[in-house]
Amino acid sequence: MKTNLKAGARAVRGLLLTGAWTLGSTLTAPAFAQDVTATETRDMPRVEVTGSAIRRVESETALPVQVISREEIEKTGITTAAELLGRVSANVNGLTDGASINVGGDQRGFNSANLRGIGTSSTLVLLNGRRMANFASPGDDSGVDLNNIPAAALERVEVLLDGASALYGTDAIGGVINFITRKDYQGLEIGGYVGKTDEGGAGKRTLSISAGTGALDADGYNVFAVADFQRTNALNTSQRSFIPNLRVEERLGHLLSGYTSPANIRLTSLQRDRLQELGFTINGQPITNRLINLSVPACDPPANVYLPAGTGGVDACTYNYMGDTELYPKSEKASLLSRGVVKLGGGHQAYAEVALSRAKTWYTGSAARVTGYIDYSRVPQLAGTGLDELDDDYPGELELRMRLNEAGQRTSELTSEGVRVVAGITGTLGGWDYDAAFNHSVNTVKDKDTHGYVLYNELLEGIYDGRINPFGPSSAEGRALIDSIQVNDVVRRARGTLDSVDFKFSRAVSKMDGGDLAVAVGGEARRERNRFTPSELLLSDNINNDAAPEGGRATSDSRKVAALYGEVLVPFAKQWEAQLSARYDHYEQVGGAASPKIGLSYRPQAGMLLRASAGRGFRAPTMTELHRPTVYSATATLPDPVYCATVDNNYSDCADNWDTRRYSNENLKPERSRQFSLGAVAALGSHVNASLDYWNIKRTDLISEIGDDIILGNLAKYGDLVYRDEDGLIDYIELRKENRGAQLARGLDLAVTVRGVNTPYGHFGGRLNGTYVLSSKIQNAPGDPYVSNLNRFVTDGVVQRWRHTLSLDWDQGPFSANLQNTWSSGYEDQNTAINIDDGSVVAANRVKSYSLWDLSGAYEFDPKLKLRVGVQNLFNRAPPYSNQAYYFLSGYDPSYTDPRGRRFYASVNYTFR
């Protein structure tokens, strides 16, 4: 622990010196109100800052808010909201396209935010201060799909790094991310972007068009629209040199597949024993295992290899899918945001906003794996061995584990569409500022099997009768059969709808020593609806590699939510200000709770602020957690201690990928939370602002599943979740959503901003935003010890101790440049994967730190035309090696790394005025 703290301190020290001393560093923070005169303060516009419902002069508040401007986004070459949040240091383990690479994976296509690493469902994402419908497909996570955010229309992003259940609702425990779009645009602007990777693949092209007319103050109205179109090409493992450098076959052969072409044969114990008695050999050696392949050692490379230490073992072949799959999916994204405002007179305005989005992503994996069956007499090498004389369940039948290359790679098309319409009125009434609106938001998801998925029963018939050859090319008749049973069907449809009416009133009530005593009250009533519709074909359970949900039915659920909240801003002394707020939420079928919060700020002198906050909250279970259909899945390769005790702990016999069944739970209670923060903000001279905030979050009645590795590691406590057959072997493991134990997370947020450093060589500035996590751990049940995932990969991920983004800026005349670094600390790897061939455990590993540098430069020909060119991942840093066994992709962790490598891009913006 001391070593980690020292290392973190050295990292912070070094970055401060780099950012603040060498170049003077970073982005722009708002100035302190004390730095301007009282007259100037009165004349400055009052705005609403995320974390408060009361308009005020923009300044630092009692709650820490990180603001990312449009200019900063443009400097990085980022074009999507998901890419942007990947550079927010407090965002950990959000869902990404890379982590979605899978065949039949849960919630593919969902890009999410996850502040503090405490769960996507505990991070609230807003668009212009209001909710959006969550990603509709049922799964473990609930939140807004970042693909539905119109990135080209963004003016800024405000990240509230503090729980805000008292103002925004129950799912804001980890914090709030408020995407704020342009409000009053005039003119016409066209922007284009072209990106290309150094090694090929994952190229990107974008086009955006912004148009607006009407000056609100002069004309009484403004209408504008922003349209954005993006296309990204796929990236295959064969296009990246770092993939062979990971040495997956050597290091992680046991994570590869035993489904090969030509097919492996899975013998029963009696079949193996008979062949051993007959002296049957493969590759000149007596067989030792139940998995054999008659083509050993040839195995039809490069995808199918002879790998004695791999899944296939010494008598069979192993399929290396890491040489034959995608690292990054092809995608097409389009969005349109339109907003209109009209003055009604008397200080009132009416506004309407329409946001449309569609993200289409194509996931391509390896060819289908098939468990097929054939009579042993069809295999010439085994003819005459008498396998039909054995007392097996199916005498003479061989089980095949084959790769159906002739059907092509498995490809799915995932389409996520968003529609959001907001209509409202705002103004001043009786001295009260008010805002009221109706919000209709919809997300629809279509998951389509397009190629490589085939009808299972017809496939089995073709294998058994010999039309499809599992050991080599099939006949013309067999290939025709495969073509005829290809699936091209939308197998899952989901639709989530949110309809709400909200209102808010605020005003200054009286004068106090520190300013105006102000109050705000508001409320919301909304209805949430989710519908999940599997296709008839999927429900027939006849698609190979795409199983039907248990119960075989569609689901449709809805509930009503009502909330009231209030806030009081109390500047009770010249240097002191208190922010008191509370909210009551009531969820149909779940119940309600009050969420109070207090914030306190103290300004001992000009340019310094001390702040603190404390609050409580609750998170109601999502409808997915309450009603999701059962999902069939499997564990990573784990040992069964009960079975292991009978075979002298030989993992080659007692470890396997055990089946799991993941259940929702209609009886879930809300989670409870408490959080507090302490911080300081200081102007260090005329150029540097710095802030340091300590945060602490605790959740109880945690809604979660117990990790399968935790269950099998403590059968004395969790053995009732493991279901066994009549022979005592694991049938399946129950992973059920329950209110279990607690979660603790605490850490420090550091921000350093330098601006306006003028030299003969130009103007310098920049910013450092970093998060140092002190603790991140989960308790699976009351009384259990906490399990820490801080700097340690546990079950499904890791929370790195230190993450930062460092940005350095320079400009002189029409020229400007930006250098940015994103960094994540190294950590202890998962270190649990097991080779079921020889029973060995993967070599322990520590994942190296991950650092990416981006460089861009721009030239402004005139106020109308601006050109920017840049390099992302300047030093072509590859993802560090990891032995994690949770994600489909092996050899590295795809949840936070970027396999695209060095990328070059150019963008141009032209404005017609």
Side-chain angles (χ1 to χ4, degrees):
M1 179 66 173
K2 291 181 179 178
T3 301
N4 287 335
L5 288 172
K6 289 179 179 178
R10 285 197 300 269
V12 172
R13 251 195 332 266
L15 286 165
L16 285 174
L17 290 173
T18 300
W21 183 254
T22 305
L23 274 180
S25 213
T26 106
L27 306 176
T28 306
F32 290 100
Q34 292 95 324
D35 296 338
V36 296
T37 66
T39 300
E40 290 173 323
T41 300
R42 272 197 312 272
D43 295 338
M44 292 175 68
R46 293 179 177 269
V47 297
E48 189 173 313
V49 179
T50 301
S52 175
I54 297 173
R55 291 178 175 269
R56 65 184 73 195
V57 174
E58 186 173 3
S59 64
E60 294 286 353
T61 67
L63 304 180
V65 179
Q66 179 182 343
V67 181
I68 307 170
S69 69
R70 180 179 181 83
E71 181 184 9
E72 296 162 31
I73 297 171
E74 290 175 348
K75 290 176 181 177
T76 62
I78 286 173
T79 63
T80 69
E83 289 177 322
L84 174 63
L85 290 186
R87 300 175 184 233
V88 173
S89 61
N91 183 45
V92 183
N93 281 343
L95 300 177
T96 66
D97 280 334
S100 289
I101 295 289
N102 202 342
V103 281
D106 193 22
Q107 293 189 307
R108 284 183 299 173
F110 183 18
N111 280 216
S112 75
N114 185 357
L115 292 177
R116 309 304 187 197
I118 64 173
T120 288
S121 303
S122 294
T123 297
L124 179 59
V125 173
L126 304 175
L127 181 63
N128 291 331
R130 287 187 169 90
R131 291 174 176 266
M132 302 177 68
N134 287 336
F135 188 74
S137 286
D140 284 332
D141 298 284
S142 181
V144 170
D145 183 11
L146 297 178
N147 289 312
N148 293 154
I149 301 294
L154 295 179
E155 183 65 32
R156 68 185 184 277
V157 182
E158 294 181 352
V159 183
L160 177 61
L161 299 171
D162 189 279
S165 297
L167 281 178
Y168 295 108
T170 63
D171 40 3
I173 292 174
V176 178
I177 302 171
N178 191 6
F179 291 93
I180 300 172
T181 63
R182 297 177 177 184
K183 291 294 195 299
D184 187 8
Y185 180 76
Q186 302 167 58
L188 175 64
E189 179 181 324
I190 298 177
Y193 174 104
V194 176
K196 182 179 180 181
T197 63
D198 196 18
E199 295 184 78
K204 180 187 288 188
R205 297 179 299 280
T206 77
L207 174 67
S208 63
I209 303 172
S210 305
T213 183
L216 187 59
D217 291 334
D219 302 324
Y221 75 94
N222 175 260
V223 178
F224 79 90
V226 182
D228 182 55
F229 308 92
Q230 302 191 24
R231 180 178 180 133
T232 302
N233 296 331
L235 174 62
N236 196 277
T237 53
S238 63
Q239 295 175 288
R240 285 297 172 268
S241 59
F242 82 87
I243 293 296
N245 293 337
L246 292 172
R247 309 200 319 270
V248 170
E249 291 183 4
E250 173 188 338
R251 291 164 153 172
L252 300 172
H254 45 289
L255 293 183
L256 300 179
S257 176
Y259 289 79
T260 62
S261 177
N264 284 332
I265 299 172
R266 177 68 171 176
L267 301 171
T268 66
S269 297
L270 292 177
Q271 289 172 342
R272 178 194 57 187
D273 294 345
R274 168 61 66 88
L275 293 179
Q276 286 177 332
E277 292 171 3
L278 295 174
F280 186 82
T281 63
I282 289 181
N283 197 25
Q285 299 295 322
I287 63 171
T288 57
N289 295 330
R290 289 175 53 193
L291 196 66
I292 66 172
N293 195 302
L294 303 175
S295 72
V296 166
C299 287
D300 194 21
N304 302 280
V305 295
Y306 180 56
L307 199 64
T311 301
V314 296
D315 299 322
C317 300
T318 296
Y319 176 70
N320 181 7
Y321 57 83
M322 284 304 293
D324 189 29
T325 192
E326 283 189 352
L327 300 173
Y328 206 80
K330 172 186 171 182
S331 65
E332 293 179 354
K333 300 176 182 180
S335 65
L336 172 69
L337 175 80
S338 181
R339 180 180 171 88
V341 185
V342 60
K343 283 189 173 182
L344 302 177
H348 307 287
Q349 297 178 4
Y351 60 89
E353 182 181 300
V354 177
L356 309 175
S357 63
R358 184 183 69 181
K360 186 175 289 189
T361 309
W362 288 265
Y363 291 98
T364 301
S366 50
R369 63 183 187 279
V370 181
T371 301
Y373 303 91
I374 194 172
D375 190 271
Y376 86 104
S377 62
R378 290 186 175 273
V379 183
Q381 297 93 324
L382 297 177
T385 56
L387 297 184
D388 57 342
E389 302 169 359
L390 301 176
D391 189 22
D392 276 332
D393 291 336
Y394 301 96
E397 183 176 84
L398 298 176
E399 178 183 317
L400 305 175
R401 296 192 173 180
M402 58 183 287
R403 186 70 50 175
L404 195 63
N405 291 337
E406 291 174 327
Q409 291 182 296
R410 285 168 288 180
T411 305
S412 297
E413 179 185 290
L414 196 292
T415 304
S416 173
E417 295 180 329
V419 176
R420 182 174 182 265
V421 179
V422 175
I425 186 169
T426 183
T428 303
L429 187 65
W432 289 83
D433 294 331
Y434 73 91
D435 188 359
F438 168 73
N439 177 5
H440 172 70
S441 183
V442 180
N443 175 254
T444 58
V445 177
K446 293 185 292 186
D447 191 352
K448 182 178 183 181
D449 292 343
T450 60
H451 194 76
Y453 293 90
V454 297
L455 300 178
Y456 185 56
N457 293 334
E458 291 79 354
L459 174 65
L460 289 188
E461 291 178 8
I463 294 171
Y464 198 82
D465 65 24
R467 284 177 291 170
I468 297 175
N469 183 4
F471 306 111
S474 297
S475 64
E477 185 183 5
R479 292 193 297 271
L481 172 63
I482 292 173
D483 291 341
S484 70
I485 60 176
Q486 288 272 4
V487 174
N488 185 16
D489 184 52
V490 177
V491 291
R492 297 172 186 83
R493 297 177 187 268
R495 179 182 174 91
T497 304
L498 180 150
D499 289 300
S500 70
V501 176
D502 66 81
F503 68 90
K504 176 173 56 184
F505 291 87
S506 66
R507 69 168 297 172
V509 177
S510 63
K511 294 288 185 181
M512 300 189 73
D513 290 344
D516 291 334
L517 172 68
V519 299
V521 294
E524 178 187 21
R526 70 178 186 268
R527 182 180 181 183
E528 301 172 348
R529 289 173 289 180
N530 281 356
R531 187 168 70 239
F532 173 65
T533 309
S535 71
E536 291 185 9
L537 178 57
L538 181 66
L539 292 178
S540 71
D541 203 21
N542 193 34
I543 304 177
N544 185 59
N545 295 162
D546 202 349
E550 186 183 59
R553 62 183 178 88
T555 59
S556 181
D557 303 290
S558 67
R559 67 182 177 189
K560 296 178 181 178
V561 183
L564 290 172
Y565 65 87
E567 179 186 359
V568 182
L569 189 65
V570 187
F572 56 87
K574 289 184 178 180
Q575 297 168 307
W576 291 88
E577 181 179 275
Q579 179 187 355
L580 310 174
S581 55
R583 179 183 179 105
Y584 181 82
D585 290 273
H586 185 273
Y587 281 72
E588 187 179 10
Q589 303 173 2
V590 175
S595 302
K597 191 174 188 70
I598 180 172
L600 188 66
S601 62
Y602 170 58
R603 302 174 185 266
Q605 62 186 48
M608 178 172 287
L609 177 143
L610 304 177
R611 59 190 177 194
S613 69
R616 291 188 175 274
F618 88 113
R619 184 181 76 82
T622 67
M623 285 191 287
T624 290
E625 291 168 331
L626 292 168
H627 308 298
R628 182 184 74 177
T630 301
V631 176
Y632 284 48
S633 57
T635 71
T637 305
L638 297 171
D640 171 15
V642 172
Y643 188 15
C644 288
T646 66
V647 292
D648 297 325
N649 288 311
N650 182 354
Y651 284 174
S652 63
D653 289 329
C654 64
D656 206 344
N657 304 105
W658 309 108
D659 289 337
T660 63
R661 296 183 187 178
R662 306 170 72 187
Y663 297 95
S664 57
N665 185 350
E666 294 184 350
N667 299 314
L668 289 172
K669 301 182 297 182
E671 295 178 345
R672 305 285 171 167
S673 71
R674 65 109 182 100
Q675 55 271 334
F676 65 88
S677 64
L678 298 168
V681 188
L684 308 177
S686 59
H687 299 298
V688 182
N689 279 2
S691 66
L692 182 66
D693 290 277
Y694 169 81
W695 49 270
N696 188 303
I697 302 171
K698 181 177 182 179
R699 293 197 294 170
T700 54
D701 292 325
L702 185 66
I703 298 173
S704 68
E705 300 167 348
I706 300 177
D708 44 42
D709 52 347
I710 303 297
I711 292 173
L712 290 177
N714 190 357
L715 289 177
K717 188 174 185 67
Y718 303 119
D720 60 332
L721 300 176
V722 180
Y723 291 78
R724 300 179 182 275
D725 60 23
E726 61 274 8
D727 297 323
L729 300 178
I730 293 178
D731 185 14
Y732 66 91
I733 299 173
E734 177 183 305
L735 303 177
R736 184 178 295 275
K737 295 287 186 183
E738 298 279 5
N739 292 101
R740 303 180 184 274
Q743 182 176 23
L744 294 174
R746 57 188 178 90
L748 300 168
D749 289 325
L750 173 67
V752 180
T753 299
V754 178
R755 61 187 175 194
V757 179
N758 301 321
T759 76
Y761 306 102
H763 310 288
F764 292 90
R767 184 187 204 173
L768 167 69
N769 281 308
T771 298
Y772 188 87
V773 182
L774 298 169
S775 178
S776 176
K777 54 189 179 181
I778 292 178
Q779 180 190 50
N780 289 299
D784 277 10
Y786 281 90
V787 177
S788 174
N789 66 346
L790 176 59
N791 256 23
R792 177 172 170 250
F793 195 111
V794 175
T795 305
D796 60 355
V798 60
V799 173
Q800 290 101 333
R801 184 176 291 280
W802 171 255
R803 290 164 55 93
H804 78 245
T805 299
L806 172 68
S807 178
L808 308 173
D809 300 320
W810 166 85
D811 69 85
Q812 187 171 34
F815 293 95
S816 62
N818 172 266
L819 178 66
Q820 186 171 111
N821 173 246
T822 56
W823 197 86
S824 298
S825 60
Y827 55 89
E828 181 184 345
D829 215 346
Q830 195 169 22
N831 296 335
T832 57
I834 295 170
N835 184 345
I836 60 175
D837 182 57
D838 61 14
S840 61
V841 180
V842 67
N845 177 59
R846 180 172 176 80
V847 179
K848 295 179 180 178
S849 60
Y850 188 55
S851 178
L852 298 179
W853 290 90
D854 302 332
L855 176 65
S856 73
Y859 184 81
E860 189 172 314
F861 293 89
D862 57 49
K864 295 181 179 180
L865 178 61
K866 187 173 185 178
L867 174 68
R868 180 176 296 277
V869 294
V871 184
Q872 295 174 319
N873 195 353
L874 181 64
F875 301 108
N876 202 26
R877 177 70 186 274
Y881 167 75
S882 169
N883 61 33
Q884 62 80 22
Y886 179 78
Y887 296 102
F888 173 76
L889 296 175
S890 294
Y892 71 100
D893 185 341
S895 67
Y896 70 96
T897 56
D898 192 331
R900 291 176 292 178
R902 186 186 293 120
R903 307 183 296 284
F904 305 93
Y905 70 90
S907 65
V908 61
N909 286 79
Y910 189 84
T911 303
F912 301 86
R913 294 289 187 183

